[in-house]
Amino acid sequence: MMTDTPVEDQAEHPGEPIAVHAAGTIPWRRDADRLEVLLIHRPRYDDWSWPKGKLDPGETLPECALREAREEIGVDARLGLPLPTTHYRVSAGLKAVSYWAQQLNGSARARPDGVEVDQTHWCSPEEAALLLSNQVDAEPLEALVEAHRNGTLATRPLILLRHAKAKPRSSWTKAEGDRTLAASGVRQAQAVGRLLTVWKPLRVATSPWRRCIDTVLPYVRASPDKVKIRLVEDLTEHRAARRPRKAAAAVVRLFDKGKPALICTHRPVLPTLLDEFRTFLDPGLASKLPTSDPYLAPGELIVFHVPVEDPARVVALEQMKPYDD
């Protein structure tokens, strides 16, 4: 949880190392056609803010953001668009807080935990901007409002994942499709599973080779939702090399299904899939895609954010690694 009071804005300290990493969300909903956001009141500081807190050991920033929302207001909705990171000075030094939009539907009830948070308040963005105690917290709010104005705030995630670290190819004597994860890859797959709970994909398209299946199974088994797995032979190294258009078609199917989804494959297949994703990107986003081998490290993923109202378009992307022990 947050334990420091902001002192001054980071703009006066360019290039200063970050001493404290934190993450949070801006919960939002639509009341008819009106946008509302959720502020929290923290009795310790008597301030109005967003759900947020410091990174725990062994945690990524998206996991931290989701955990803080769950702990402080009792919601577990998937994260949406990444929002601007705020910077300000605290007693320990420069603090950076990464934010994500978090849509709450009608069944999601935000309840203060009674310790860190004693009140919640749904309000218009205009009212929120006036109530926020730390004005730097208005920066991610402004981006959220702009996305709502553009019709790109409500999104679903499409995730491209490279399987976790496998046993060395040079020492494997059995069929290539049976090559298993290394011991570190097994741990990495567990970390991937925890990271994927941030976006909660409901469909998984994966190469049927064992190292891919073993990478996604921890998430599928732990998910409280019914996750549909589809084994796609065209995503294997051998098939994709012979018929790359068939592999690329797996990406198109993700867009067509209209559901939060994940595709898991191998390093040699990544450039084919990235080229297909590139055709859906808004201008300016293509430069953010990896362009050289190995494209993604084992267990690394890219989240493509697709507007619900414009399902053949990517308006934001983020590249993430699970925590690596």
Side-chain angles (χ1 to χ4, degrees):
M1 300 295 177
M2 184 175 177
T3 58
D4 295 300
T5 302
V7 179
E8 55 186 314
D9 189 86
Q10 178 263 355
E12 298 181 6
H13 304 271
E16 182 176 345
I18 296 172
V20 180
H21 291 272
T25 71
I26 299 186
W28 67 276
R29 70 183 182 186
R30 285 197 182 103
D31 183 9
D33 289 331
R34 188 178 68 165
L35 173 65
E36 292 186 330
V37 294
L38 184 73
L39 287 171
I40 64 167
H41 182 264
R42 303 182 302 172
R44 180 177 181 180
Y45 306 110
D46 188 23
D47 68 355
W48 288 98
S49 182
W50 311 118
K52 65 177 182 290
K54 291 193 294 187
L55 201 64
D56 279 350
E59 192 174 49
T60 62
L61 286 167
E63 290 173 87
C64 174
L66 188 64
R67 174 182 57 77
E68 289 293 336
R70 185 169 54 242
E71 291 177 355
E72 293 188 342
I73 58 173
V75 298
D76 195 39
R78 69 170 52 90
L79 299 190
L81 285 179
L83 301 172
T85 297
T86 63
H87 300 83
Y88 52 83
R89 284 188 55 79
V90 295
S91 58
L94 183 63
K95 181 171 184 174
V97 187
S98 300
Y99 282 100
W100 283 265
Q102 185 178 38
Q103 183 176 10
L104 304 187
N105 59 32
S107 62
R109 301 297 180 187
R111 297 181 176 87
D113 68 352
V115 180
E116 294 283 336
V117 178
D118 63 351
Q119 297 179 61
T120 60
H121 178 56
W122 283 106
C123 61
S124 69
E126 294 78 14
E127 182 181 353
L130 293 174
L131 288 175
L132 284 168
S133 300
N134 183 7
Q135 283 307 300
V136 74
D137 287 343
E139 294 173 12
L141 174 63
E142 291 168 2
L144 184 143
V145 171
E146 180 67 17
H148 179 259
R149 187 179 298 119
N150 295 335
T152 60
L153 179 54
T155 59
R156 61 185 174 93
L158 300 182
I159 303 168
L160 175 61
L161 169 67
R162 179 183 171 186
H163 66 73
K165 187 175 182 180
K167 291 182 178 179
R169 195 184 303 261
S170 59
S171 63
W172 188 257
T173 58
K174 300 178 184 178
E176 180 63 12
D178 294 333
R179 184 152 60 97
T180 59
L181 297 179
S184 59
V186 172
R187 297 192 299 272
Q188 194 175 58
Q190 294 292 332
V192 168
R194 293 190 295 271
L195 181 56
L196 288 175
T197 62
V198 167
W199 299 286
K200 301 175 174 52
L202 299 177
R203 291 175 175 266
V204 174
T206 179
S207 160
W209 287 6
R210 183 170 174 180
R211 52 192 181 272
C212 283
I213 293 175
D214 287 350
T215 298
V216 301
L217 277 181
Y219 167 72
V220 173
R221 288 170 173 163
S223 175
D225 302 313
K226 185 177 181 181
V227 179
K228 183 177 181 181
I229 285 192
R230 183 167 176 261
L231 304 182
V232 182
E233 191 71 31
D234 291 320
L235 293 173
T236 64
E237 293 182 26
H238 294 167
R239 187 71 69 86
R242 293 195 303 268
R243 305 197 311 190
R245 291 312 306 163
K246 290 284 188 178
V251 172
V252 177
R253 285 194 293 269
L254 293 189
F255 283 88
D256 290 344
K257 293 295 183 181
K259 299 286 186 181
L262 165 73
I263 189 166
C264 182
T265 191
H266 311 265
R267 178 190 56 78
V269 188
L270 290 175
T272 296
L273 302 191
L274 288 168
D275 282 346
E276 191 63 36
F277 271 110
R278 191 173 281 108
T279 65
F280 293 92
L281 300 184
D282 267 12
L285 289 181
S287 63
K288 297 183 178 181
L289 287 181
T291 57
S292 60
D293 194 26
Y295 304 98
L296 296 174
E300 192 171 14
L301 55 85
I302 301 175
V303 184
F304 298 87
H305 295 274
V306 178
V308 172
E309 298 176 3
D310 194 355
R313 175 186 176 197
V314 173
V315 295
L317 61 87
E318 46 191 334
Q319 189 169 333
M320 293 283 174
K321 291 181 181 179
Y323 177 78
D324 193 348
D325 61 358

